[in-house]
């Protein structure tokens, strides 16, 4: 028994040390293993299967909007990266360089892509000539490299997986519409699949992407009250087009610059899944994204007929379209329960000799631990209902948490007190001056998360400087 409890006992509790809890879950749920390369992670099957489901669903949603996938080289010649000034300055501190190929020193060093705007721009300058070539709606699934000083699995790593969409349009309006459209794709995906509510808005100039005209973001709130930027969508205007000479002839045969966008979501979102839903027993996955939705666990599995019955329940659930596994290992039921909970599998189905006598099984919800006795005649139907219910309840709980941890500040003293004492988002007006934004960061370490689309007029002046307020901002400490 002592050995059985070990799996859970070795997790630090969230309230004691949230950062350590996160690291423990990532390790114990077997999502990630550390590698020999500093800051790079090995994503294990349990973690990669989550990413595959994210990828599958996002990809489906992208394609519904007309996006096509391509694949670009992973190296960028230095001269290409230098073409857009703000962009190169923004990324220079974290770029990895290749200076040698085989035994030869390269005539021009190559950067390992930190993001691929420059490659797409170069590509577009070759393939776009006429208005008939527009729009171009391309996306790629790949990994990128950013030489980060401090790293944490999923949240910040030297190499990570993501998708980056890059589009080119004839007009400014079209580009802006696409930027918002993709932000909405991300927001809907987070709510509907990951049960993570997000705040949609625009980044301040200080926080926007290097080289972008405007950056839009979805911000989620983690269990510890810190924000996580979960997806971004940028409108580049014609800045990159001018730097890379991407022109098309319009219907009057006049040369025009294209307007571009880019948008991305990465394996970081798995960090959000862990930190929004998890608890002291481990991961809690929303059913729609969970690689395994139900684990069948036999009780007294050596008793006659139990294992066969458990296997038949697995088959029934599988037949009904549920992603199900049977734990037929020789571990004890208690150990199997802990493992299923640690991995965040939404339901387990317990079946033993007594249940068989009564033609029933016990379904246990991972999110609430509620036990539900279900007749075997309607097992699949009930399991589906319960999974739907878990998905809804998880979103509702996350929304409640977001609401409870969003505060309003009317003056700067109040703001500082909230940031110091109550982790979460703080809504406060802002004059639009970067000096005030910097002062807030210096005084409190909170940063502007976004200027939300849903605006409120809390005060008429900026509480930091007293000048007229221009916009309401969500502020918070962030990952
Ligand atoms: Zn101000």
């Amino acid at each position: 028994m002592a050995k059985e409890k070990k799996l859970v006992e070795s997790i630090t509790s969230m309230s004691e040390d949230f950062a350590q809890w996160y690291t423990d879950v990532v390790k114990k749920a077997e999502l990630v293993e550390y590698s020999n390369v500093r800051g790079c992670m090995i994503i294990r099957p349990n973690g990669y299967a989550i990413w595959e489901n994210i990828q599958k669903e996002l990809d489906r949603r992208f394609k519904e909007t007309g996006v096509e996938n391509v694949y670009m080289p992973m190296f960028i010649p230095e001269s290409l990266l230098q073409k857009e000034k703000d962009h190169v300055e923004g990324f220079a501190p974290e770029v990895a360089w290749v200076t040698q190929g085989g035994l030869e020193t390269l005539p021009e060093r190559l950067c390992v892509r930190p993001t691929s705007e420059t490659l797409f721009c170069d590509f577009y300058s070759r393939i776009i000539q006429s208005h008939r070539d527009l729009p171009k709606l391309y996306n790629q699934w790949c990994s990128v490299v950013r030489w980060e000083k401090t790293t944490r699995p999923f949240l910040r790593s030297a190499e990570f997986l993501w998708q980056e969409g890059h589009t080119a349009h004839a007009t400014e309006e079209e580009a802006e519409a696409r930027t918002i459209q993709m932000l909405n794709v991300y927001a809907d995906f987070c709510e509907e699949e990951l049960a993570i509510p997000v705040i949609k808005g625009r980044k301040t100039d200080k926080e926007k992407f290097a080289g972008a005209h405007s950056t839009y973001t979805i911000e989620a709130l983690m269990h510890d009250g810190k924000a996580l930027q979960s997806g971004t969508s940028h409108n580049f205007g014609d800045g990159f087009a001018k730097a890379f000479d991407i022109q098309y002839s319009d219907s009057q045969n006049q040369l025009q610059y294209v307007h571009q966008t880019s948008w991305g979501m990465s394996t970081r979102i798995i960090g959000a899944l862990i930190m929004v839903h998890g608890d002291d027993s481990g991961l809690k996955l929303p059913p729609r994204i969970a690689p395994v939705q139900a684990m069948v666990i036999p009780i007294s599995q050596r008793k006659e007929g139990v294992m066969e019955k458990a296997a038949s329940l697995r088959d029934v659930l599988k037949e009904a379209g549920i992603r199900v596994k049977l734990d037929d290992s020789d571990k004890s039921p208690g150990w199997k329960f802990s493992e299923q909970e640690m991995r965040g599998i939404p339901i387990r189905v317990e079946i033993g000799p007594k249940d068989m006598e009564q033609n029933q099984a016990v379904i246990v919800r991972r999110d609430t631990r509620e036990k539900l006795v279900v007749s075997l005649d309607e097992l699949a139907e009930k399991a589906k209902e319960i999974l739907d219910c878990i998905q809804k309840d998880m979103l509702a709980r996350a929304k409640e948490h977001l609401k409870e941890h969003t505060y309003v500040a009317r003056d700067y003293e109040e703001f500082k007190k909230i940031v110091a004492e109550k982790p979460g988002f703080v809504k406060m007006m802002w004059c639009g001056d970067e000096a005030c934004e910097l002062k807030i960061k210096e005084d409190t370490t909170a940063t502007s998360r976004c200027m939300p689309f849903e605006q409120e007029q809390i005060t008429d002046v900026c509480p930091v400087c007293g000048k007229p307020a221009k916009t309401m901002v969500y502020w918070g400490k962030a990952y």
Side-chain angles (χ1 to χ4, degrees), residues 200-205 214-217 449-453:
K200 289 189 270 189
R202 192 157 72 86
K203 285 281 184 194
T204 61
D205 282 353
S214 49
T215 289
Y216 298 92
T217 178
R449 302 317 311 152
C450 72
M451 302 179 277
F453 293 155

Side-chain angles (χ1 to χ4, degrees), residues 178-188 200-201 216-218 231-233 263 453:
R178 174 55 67 168
T179 313
I180 302 295
Q181 180 182 20
M182 298 322 283
L183 189 79
N184 285 329
V185 167
Y186 290 144
D188 293 347
K200 289 189 270 189
Y216 298 92
T217 178
I218 50 169
T232 47
S233 188
W263 25 275
F453 293 155

Side-chain angles (χ1 to χ4, degrees), residues 9-188:
E9 268 179 1
S10 52
I11 285 204
T12 309
S13 98
M14 296 173 104
S15 53
E16 197 179 303
D17 183 346
F18 193 77
Q20 190 57 50
W21 168 84
Y22 178 82
T23 309
D24 288 352
V25 170
V26 160
K27 197 84 202 288
K28 289 276 165 185
E30 297 185 349
L31 302 179
V32 156
E33 183 58 50
Y34 295 100
S35 78
N36 289 323
V37 187
R38 200 196 63 88
C40 292
M41 56 181 172
I42 297 165
I43 306 179
R44 302 182 66 172
N46 289 349
Y48 202 77
I50 297 173
W51 180 241
E52 283 178 312
N53 280 354
I54 289 171
Q55 196 174 21
K56 209 187 300 168
E57 181 56 26
L58 265 183
D59 201 61
R60 186 186 70 76
R61 289 174 184 242
F62 293 160
K63 285 175 179 159
E64 260 181 19
T65 74
V67 170
E68 297 173 287
N69 286 333
V70 296
Y71 187 78
M72 305 294 279
M74 73 181 301
F75 303 115
I76 308 173
E78 185 167 18
S79 54
L80 204 58
L81 195 70
Q82 302 284 3
K83 278 195 173 178
E84 214 287 342
K85 201 178 110 297
D86 291 339
H87 186 68
V88 69
E89 273 176 19
F91 281 98
E94 49 191 41
V95 162
W97 293 100
V98 177
T99 55
Q100 192 152 338
L103 299 174
E104 322 235 311
T105 302
L106 301 179
E108 179 183 13
R109 55 181 188 160
L110 302 171
C111 119
V112 184
R113 64 181 164 215
T115 178
S116 308
E117 273 72 16
T118 51
L119 289 170
F120 272 92
C121 284
D122 182 49
F123 175 42
Y124 284 153
S125 72
R126 296 162 199 254
I127 62 166
I128 296 171
Q129 272 97 37
S130 144
H131 61 96
R132 292 177 202 92
D133 298 327
L134 295 171
K136 286 276 181 275
L137 310 172
Y138 292 162
N139 173 66
Q140 77 167 338
W141 291 94
C142 64
S143 76
V144 288
V145 169
R146 295 180 188 176
W147 219 250
E148 303 272 5
K149 289 196 184 76
T150 53
T151 59
R152 293 184 71 192
F154 297 120
L155 298 175
R156 203 169 283 281
S157 48
E159 183 191 13
F160 59 87
L161 301 175
W162 80 344
Q163 58 68 217
E164 47 179 320
H166 297 266
T167 68
H169 306 268
T171 65
E172 201 180 326
E173 294 71 31
E174 254 186 67
E176 179 67 10
R178 174 55 67 168
T179 313
I180 302 295
Q181 180 182 20
M182 298 322 283
L183 189 79
N184 285 329
V185 167
Y186 290 144
D188 293 347

